[in-house]
Amino acid sequence: DGGITQSPKYLFRKEGQNVTLSCEQNLNHDAMYWYRQDPGQGLRLIYYSQIVNDFQKGDIAEGYSVSREKKESFPLTVTSAQKNPTAFYLCASRGSTGARSYNEQFFGPGTRLTVL
Amino acid sequence: DQQVKQNSPSLSVQEGRISILNCDYTNSMFDYFLWYKKYPAEGPTFLISISSIKDKNEDGRFTVFLNKSAKHLSLHIVPSQPGDSAVYFCAASNQAGTALIFGKGTTLSVSS
């Protein structure tokens, strides 16, 4: 089945440690995105990538880093510089495969990161 | 400054009645709007969308209305079902079409 996978589902880390969240898609989509969701908040864009080896900062990129070495993969690193990293992180992709609507983004199941 | 606003954090409706979820936007350059549904601890799933050249789009029980002059859109669910209980996000496509701007969401509760 085509889709987006994120691992792990739950992640615990000590304060001051960097952590990398995985995102893989087999939809052959060119564009990939990382969002953060906090309670009572919408989805806020962290980084996005329109094509391999290229990515742009979103609205809240400080304290995060990404790479896009392969079309299928877009890992997000939460660094120790991120002041409040505890949140629900969502990865998404966009492309023509499976899309019912222009600009539709397909979301993964999310990773809940808790920093202790 | 929020560009996409969902001013009602929650809505409660009885099964079989109509649910109306509202969304306002401030950026007149937005030209595509989408609604997503989200259950707790899961990723959002796409529901329905509308282009700015239309004022209505319908898909089964779901209809989205767009009023460009008022910069307002609404999602109607008829009839509402208990399985519709979830958080609904309104999203707008930015000028370059590369990212979505989301509202804060409205939690819909449908009671049987």
Side-chain angles (χ1 to χ4, degrees):
Chain A
D1 278 9
I4 301 176
T5 57
Q6 291 185 245
S7 60
K9 182 71 172 173
Y10 299 96
L11 192 54
F12 297 88
R13 279 295 181 268
K14 290 183 179 179
E15 193 171 349
Q17 289 182 333
N18 290 358
V19 61
T20 297
L21 281 60
S22 167
C23 177
E24 304 279 331
Q25 55 101 357
N26 61 2
L27 297 165
N28 199 34
H29 286 174
D30 286 317
M32 296 187 74
Y33 305 81
W34 275 105
Y35 293 91
R36 167 182 173 142
Q37 186 190 13
D38 295 283
Q41 299 291 320
L43 279 63
R44 293 185 290 168
L45 183 64
I46 304 172
Y47 267 98
Y48 64 100
S49 168
Q50 297 285 87
I51 198 167
V52 173
N53 291 324
D54 187 48
F55 48 83
Q56 286 78 41
K57 293 181 179 180
D59 300 320
I60 55 167
E62 185 176 351
Y64 299 97
S65 65
V66 293
S67 63
R68 187 85 188 277
E69 297 176 2
K70 298 186 301 181
K71 189 175 188 177
E72 305 79 24
S73 178
F74 191 40
L76 173 75
T77 297
V78 184
T79 75
S80 57
Q82 168 50 231
K83 297 284 190 287
N84 185 19
T86 295
F88 189 55
Y89 290 87
L90 286 158
C91 179
S93 71
R94 179 173 64 89
S96 58
T97 305
R100 290 188 286 140
S101 169
Y102 175 72
N103 268 347
E104 177 185 350
Q105 290 184 16
F106 292 76
F107 284 85
T111 293
R112 167 73 61 186
L113 173 64
T114 302
V115 176
L116 306 172
Chain B
D1 186 31
Q2 270 193 282
Q3 298 187 70
V4 178
K5 299 177 184 178
Q6 295 178 255
N7 292 319
S8 298
S10 62
L11 175 68
S12 294
V13 171
Q14 281 193 318
E15 181 178 8
R17 308 293 284 267
I18 184 171
S19 295
I20 300 176
L21 295 93
N22 294 304
C23 178
D24 298 292
Y25 62 96
T26 58
N27 190 338
S28 58
M29 299 305 291
F30 287 147
D31 60 2
Y32 211 84
F33 304 90
L34 301 88
W35 284 94
Y36 279 83
K37 176 180 179 180
K38 185 182 181 302
Y39 294 115
E42 294 184 9
T45 54
F46 171 76
L47 259 183
I48 191 169
S49 64
I50 189 165
S51 164
S52 60
I53 63 172
K54 294 186 175 181
D55 56 16
K56 176 183 175 181
N57 189 26
E58 196 170 352
D59 184 0
R61 297 186 297 115
F62 303 92
T63 303
V64 57
F65 296 92
L66 176 62
N67 182 334
K68 280 187 65 178
S69 61
K71 295 191 180 69
H72 176 84
L73 61 155
S74 60
L75 174 68
H76 293 213
I77 307 174
V78 183
S80 301
Q81 300 173 354
D84 295 330
S85 298
V87 179
Y88 289 78
F89 290 101
C90 171
S93 173
N94 66 4
Q95 190 173 354
T98 54
L100 295 177
I101 312 298
F102 284 85
K104 291 188 176 183
T106 297
T107 300
L108 173 65
S109 299
V110 181
S111 57
S112 55

